[in-house]
Amino acid sequence: MIGRKRRIVMAGTAALMLLAMAAQHPRANIEILTHQAGDLSPQKLQAVIDTGVFAVSVLVTWSRHFAQ
């Protein structure tokens, strides 16, 4: 009985691993847009981290001059 449970667990684990590998490349996008709408050339900082298992993309923008 223990051998049967072990085979079921192994088959389930293998199925989950195949499903994870077949899924689209997971990606998280984080954008912080704080520039003024009229600013045609906002300052920006952009970074991407891709480990092969997951990816994170960060974009931060801001205006150089603020209207007073």
Side-chain angles (χ1 to χ4, degrees):
M1 191 68 163
I2 293 175
R4 182 173 185 241
K5 284 185 180 180
R6 187 174 183 171
R7 279 185 279 157
I8 291 172
V9 169
M10 292 293 279
T13 303
L16 286 174
M17 289 175 61
L18 285 173
L19 182 63
M21 289 180 9
Q24 293 290 331
H25 186 66
R27 182 177 189 93
N29 289 329
I30 302 170
E31 293 187 14
I32 302 173
L33 305 175
T34 59
H35 65 277
Q36 294 177 336
D39 191 355
L40 298 178
S41 60
Q43 303 298 303
K44 77 176 183 179
L45 171 71
Q46 189 169 8
V48 176
I49 300 172
D50 188 355
T51 64
V53 176
F54 68 91
V56 177
S57 175
V58 178
L59 171 64
V60 179
T61 63
W62 67 93
S63 290
R64 182 182 292 189
H65 302 287
F66 288 105
Q68 304 217 6

